[in-house]
Amino acid sequence: MHKQMKKTILFLAYFAFFGVSGFAQNNQDVSSKETSDIGLFPKSESPKLYTFKVNGEYRFLGTYTHYDKQYGTSATNNLFIGDDSQMPSLTLRVSGRPSKKTSWGFDLYTFQFMHGDVRPQYGFKVAEIDRPSIYDPINGKRLAGSLIVHLGINLYASFDTKIGSFGLQAGGIHWTSMSDLTLASYKGYNRYSLFERAPWDPIESSVERRYFDFYKRGNITQDARWGHKPFTGLIVSGSNLPGDLTMKAMVGKTDLYGGFSNIPNIAYGGQVRKPTVGGFIGVNTFNNQTYTDSLNQEAIGFNITTLESHFSLAKFNVKLEFGAGRYFSPDSTHTGDWGEAIHAKIKSPSLIDDKLTFEAHLYRIAPEVINNNSIFMNSSIDELSANDLAAGSVGSTEALNPFASSMVPVGMMTNNRQGFNLNTELDLEELKLSLGFGSSTELEAKSNEITYGHPVNSLTRSRIWRWGFPSDVGPYDRYSVTYRDVYETVKLSDPEANKKCFSGIELQAKYHPKFFGQKLYLFALSKFSSVQKTWSPGLWGIIPIFEDDPYVKQYSNELEAYYALNSKLVFNGYVGIERTIANYDTEKGETGRPRNQFGEGYGLGVDYTITKNTALFIRHRWFSFEDKNFQLDQFKGTETILELKLTF
């Protein structure tokens, strides 16, 4: 028995060595082009799965707000866990690359409220007996039933051919852009406050890096969404084409035109570019068509086509885009007439030993031109909707109502307006200055209303009304909520609409001295703006009017301090004051006088890097707002925000 077992073991060992080797050799002979070195202990990665990655980020956000008295829909004390603007808490990105020329991916968004179904305490109480068991986890009533999971499947592919290289993006949500007037997101001139964080703010190697970059480079690191628009559908891009051309073609839906409506709607467009010395020349187009009925008989939508060129002229960088656009609908008030759209920027080289640069911006956008997917806002066309659902609600095909005659930041454009902006940056070693002037006038008298925002405590305001992006809310039904912001509407007493003129100045100073051997960053941001019947005198209308003539005049000052004890620990401080005054041509309050508003905010905070990819952020704010002539429009309170964010 012992000898027999010994022979058996020797036979198995012989077979394991020579048999498997012979089988592998035999395989190689049968298919001389393929060899297998995987086996039980693979020596290399299988070519069938070139790469496979899982990454993403988790963001815990808790907000506790206390109001001295109830205002709007907010309770006196409010504890909220989650993002105020429907952003997911956990994002997983799964991707693979089966070959060097093809890739795929899908995104998982969990613990979010993108569908808008928010209930008290994230759902009703569920008795323990009704909850799913471990033996039957599918059936039963779940806790926090509103915390659902959204799945987006993205396909990416690339192909090299004899006529050029092509890329394919399909499904899911892809962040893309073409040109400023066709498909892009407004970037501005990097004059903003850093005290309150955004959901997309990345985690740097240290929390101090964010403030150092803002001081040194004038901007901060942004993710893939910066400057782009979300698009779902099919995108085909090409490069190295005959004539050295590049192209992009897309068909699908955008976030503003599409949604969950069953009524057919489509967005489509594309571009062709040819490189030139120091730039390019190209053609862009973007279009939308939504039917008002299921029979596809009556359509609403827009078209815009532009010619774009970037080039150098005597060391000046020039960006030029001009074209035409229109809006069409079955309503007789919208005739479908075409209007012009012109947008040009000229940037100087660095002057005075690389200390000074400036940029001039001129634009003219006719009232007939509309494109809510571009960097200019709609202030003239009241769009039709294919259904009666309110803008922002599930299934709605309605965009937000036009912002009337809007007071906008320096550099932002609206339709039915022409104007120019002048921006300059001055580097004085430890002190860096960014200054902007803006002046514009309406082309046609369209509205008897003016809209403006509130720079101080703007995000705190937006958290008063969550999820639905409602319009005409507040004690006097004059506030409208947009994404992470609120704007206010002023009604004019003039019997007829008249053309309005706008002026604005923005100044930001950044100072970085040494303080007790450590690093201190001081940022100050001041804004002054006005809207009036005529162009203001002095410097071609870019100086705001602060006498009694403007319909509305506003100024704000924000001061921030960031003290880095070391690269991993930063203490924050914030002070903001805002003043808004209207004249007697606007609506009046209980005192018989127009708006006289004063807002202020004070804050303290801590940033702490826990590990390389994990950081903790705490913010506490004291805020108040009062309109002395509209007695119900006032609030006061405190707000504490705790954010824990990690990337992997």
Side-chain angles (χ1 to χ4, degrees):
M1 186 69 178
H2 179 70
K3 291 182 178 180
Q4 184 65 30
M5 183 178 294
K6 198 172 185 179
K7 291 179 180 179
T8 302
I9 294 174
L10 290 173
F11 175 79
L12 293 175
Y14 177 88
F15 178 81
F17 183 79
F18 293 100
V20 172
S21 298
F23 180 76
Q25 181 65 40
N26 195 34
N27 264 351
Q28 185 174 357
D29 294 337
V30 173
S31 178
S32 60
K33 294 182 180 181
E34 294 183 5
T35 59
S36 175
D37 59 354
I38 299 177
L40 296 178
F41 301 97
K43 303 179 184 65
S44 64
E45 186 180 30
S46 170
K48 295 181 180 179
L49 188 62
Y50 192 73
T51 59
F52 181 82
K53 296 180 180 179
V54 178
N55 58 28
E57 62 267 349
Y58 170 75
R59 179 173 179 253
F60 172 86
L61 187 69
T63 306
Y64 174 74
T65 309
H66 168 76
Y67 290 88
D68 288 357
K69 62 180 180 179
Q70 188 173 357
Y71 180 86
T73 59
S74 297
T76 304
N77 295 287
N78 190 349
L79 175 62
F80 190 87
I81 306 299
D83 190 87
D84 299 284
S85 48
Q86 306 183 18
M87 300 296 289
S89 297
L90 174 65
T91 300
L92 289 176
R93 302 183 183 91
V94 183
S95 62
R97 184 179 288 275
S99 70
K100 292 183 178 181
K101 296 183 179 181
T102 307
S103 60
W104 59 268
F106 65 84
D107 304 325
L108 281 171
Y109 305 100
T110 64
F111 301 110
Q112 55 74 43
F113 304 95
M114 292 180 181
H115 62 322
D117 183 15
V118 182
R119 305 173 188 174
Q121 300 175 347
Y122 300 163
F124 299 104
K125 293 182 179 179
V126 179
E128 187 172 355
I129 193 174
D130 295 329
R131 299 174 188 173
S133 69
I134 59 174
Y135 308 105
D136 187 12
I138 297 178
N139 297 313
K141 296 181 180 180
R142 291 175 174 79
L143 294 169
S146 295
L147 291 169
I148 67 170
V149 175
H150 271 199
L151 172 64
I153 299 179
N154 304 322
L155 172 67
Y156 316 90
S158 58
F159 310 94
D160 293 328
T161 68
K162 293 181 179 180
I163 63 172
S165 301
F166 294 91
L168 173 69
Q169 297 171 274
I173 296 177
H174 298 277
W175 293 86
T176 186
S177 63
M178 289 193 297
S179 69
D180 288 345
L181 298 181
T182 55
L183 186 67
S185 180
Y186 177 70
K187 294 181 179 180
Y189 289 92
N190 296 309
R191 289 188 288 264
Y192 44 75
S193 169
L194 295 185
F195 183 75
E196 182 144 12
R197 292 175 46 80
W200 51 83
D201 287 340
I203 299 296
E204 304 284 358
S205 57
S206 71
V207 289
E208 184 200 356
R209 184 73 189 182
R210 173 180 175 85
Y211 310 111
F212 175 80
D213 287 346
F214 192 56
Y215 163 78
K216 189 70 174 179
R217 298 190 290 115
N219 55 31
I220 56 177
T221 303
Q222 305 284 355
D223 68 2
R225 292 171 284 190
W226 183 246
H228 300 301
K229 286 286 188 178
F231 190 87
T232 180
L234 179 65
I235 304 174
V236 179
S237 58
S239 60
N240 301 320
L241 301 175
D244 204 18
L245 297 176
T246 63
M247 57 79 65
K248 178 182 290 186
M250 56 180 61
V251 57
K253 298 181 179 182
T254 66
D255 57 334
L256 292 176
Y257 300 99
F260 299 94
S261 173
N262 294 322
I263 297 176
N265 57 84
I266 187 173
Y268 58 96
Q271 68 176 190
V272 177
R273 288 182 175 178
K274 180 177 178 57
T276 60
V277 178
F280 66 86
I281 185 171
V283 178
N284 313 287
T285 182
F286 197 72
N287 312 270
N288 171 259
Q289 186 161 302
T290 300
Y291 290 95
T292 60
D293 63 324
S294 58
L295 297 178
N296 299 359
Q297 298 297 313
E298 297 181 339
I300 57 178
F302 68 87
N303 308 107
I304 185 168
T305 300
T306 66
L307 177 65
E308 182 185 17
S309 181
H310 292 188
F311 57 93
S312 297
L313 181 64
K315 296 185 179 181
F316 285 80
N317 292 326
V318 181
K319 297 181 180 180
L320 175 64
E321 184 177 8
F322 63 92
R326 67 166 182 165
Y327 175 79
F328 58 87
S329 78
D331 192 333
S332 60
T333 60
H334 302 108
T335 61
D337 292 337
W338 290 81
E340 71 279 4
I342 304 170
H343 162 57
K345 290 185 176 181
I346 304 173
K347 187 174 183 178
S348 74
S350 297
L351 306 173
I352 314 177
D353 298 328
D354 295 334
K355 294 183 180 298
L356 175 67
T357 59
F358 66 86
E359 180 189 83
H361 175 211
L362 298 92
Y363 68 94
R364 177 186 172 94
I365 302 177
E368 297 85 2
V369 183
I370 183 174
N371 181 6
N372 292 316
N373 305 282
S374 67
I375 67 171
F376 66 89
M377 294 166 38
N378 171 31
S379 65
S380 64
I381 297 177
D382 190 4
E383 300 177 74
L384 293 184
S385 175
N387 55 41
D388 296 328
L389 298 176
S393 61
V394 175
S396 173
T397 60
E398 180 180 356
L400 286 172
N401 290 327
F403 291 73
S405 299
S406 307
M407 298 172 63
V408 296
V410 173
M412 180 173 281
M413 302 182 294
T414 79
N415 61 359
N416 189 35
R417 198 173 297 188
Q418 64 181 1
F420 69 94
N421 303 289
L422 180 64
N423 287 275
T424 181
E425 294 185 357
L426 181 62
D427 188 346
L428 300 175
E429 301 300 335
E430 292 183 346
L431 177 64
K432 303 180 188 301
L433 300 175
S434 174
L435 178 63
F437 299 93
S439 178
S440 62
T441 181
E442 293 181 327
L443 300 175
E444 295 181 9
K446 289 283 188 179
S447 174
N448 245 3
E449 296 180 339
I450 296 172
T451 61
Y452 63 92
H454 292 273
V456 175
N457 301 323
S458 60
L459 289 174
T460 301
R461 282 177 173 270
S462 69
R463 286 186 277 265
I464 297 175
W465 303 277
R466 289 188 172 102
W467 314 114
F469 304 120
S471 300
D472 303 324
V473 294
Y476 297 95
D477 301 328
R478 62 192 190 191
Y479 292 110
S480 297
V481 183
T482 60
Y483 180 69
R484 293 172 60 82
D485 204 355
V486 173
Y487 68 88
E488 184 172 350
T489 301
V490 180
K491 298 184 183 299
L492 305 182
S493 58
D494 294 343
E496 296 182 0
N498 55 72
K499 292 192 294 185
K500 305 169 193 67
C501 299
F502 305 82
S503 305
I505 300 177
E506 294 179 358
L507 171 64
Q508 185 160 48
K510 304 171 185 177
Y511 186 48
H512 179 36
K514 294 293 183 180
F515 186 73
F516 287 106
Q518 303 300 327
K519 297 179 180 179
L520 175 66
Y521 303 88
L522 296 175
F523 304 144
L525 176 60
S526 298
K527 298 180 180 180
F528 309 87
S529 57
S530 67
V531 52
Q532 52 273 338
K533 293 182 180 180
T534 58
W535 230 9
S536 64
L539 291 180
W540 307 287
I542 60 179
I543 302 298
I545 297 176
F546 293 104
E547 302 298 332
D548 294 332
D549 292 331
Y551 287 118
V552 179
K553 53 188 175 183
Q554 183 184 75
Y555 59 89
S556 63
N557 293 282
E558 298 176 272
L559 175 64
E560 303 168 62
Y562 302 94
Y563 176 62
L565 190 62
N566 52 56
S567 63
K568 295 184 177 181
L569 181 61
V570 177
F571 295 100
N572 311 329
Y574 170 87
V575 176
I577 299 175
E578 171 192 291
R579 194 85 166 87
T580 307
I581 302 173
N583 70 5
Y584 280 87
D585 290 329
T586 64
E587 53 197 334
K588 303 169 184 62
E590 295 86 348
T591 63
R593 297 176 180 177
R595 281 171 173 78
N596 185 4
Q597 300 174 341
F598 180 80
E600 57 184 351
Y602 308 94
L604 295 174
V606 176
D607 299 354
Y608 178 63
T609 301
I610 299 176
T611 63
K612 179 180 179 181
N613 298 320
T614 306
L616 177 69
F617 307 92
I618 300 174
R619 298 289 186 272
H620 183 78
R621 178 188 292 263
W622 295 264
F623 59 85
S624 66
F625 174 81
E626 179 185 14
D627 192 320
K628 296 183 180 298
N629 296 325
F630 290 81
Q631 299 173 0
L632 298 179
D633 197 7
Q634 53 182 296
F635 56 82
K636 182 179 181 181
T638 61
E639 182 180 62
T640 303
I641 300 176
L642 186 147
E643 177 187 1
L644 174 66
K645 188 168 186 177
L646 61 93
T647 59
F648 51 89

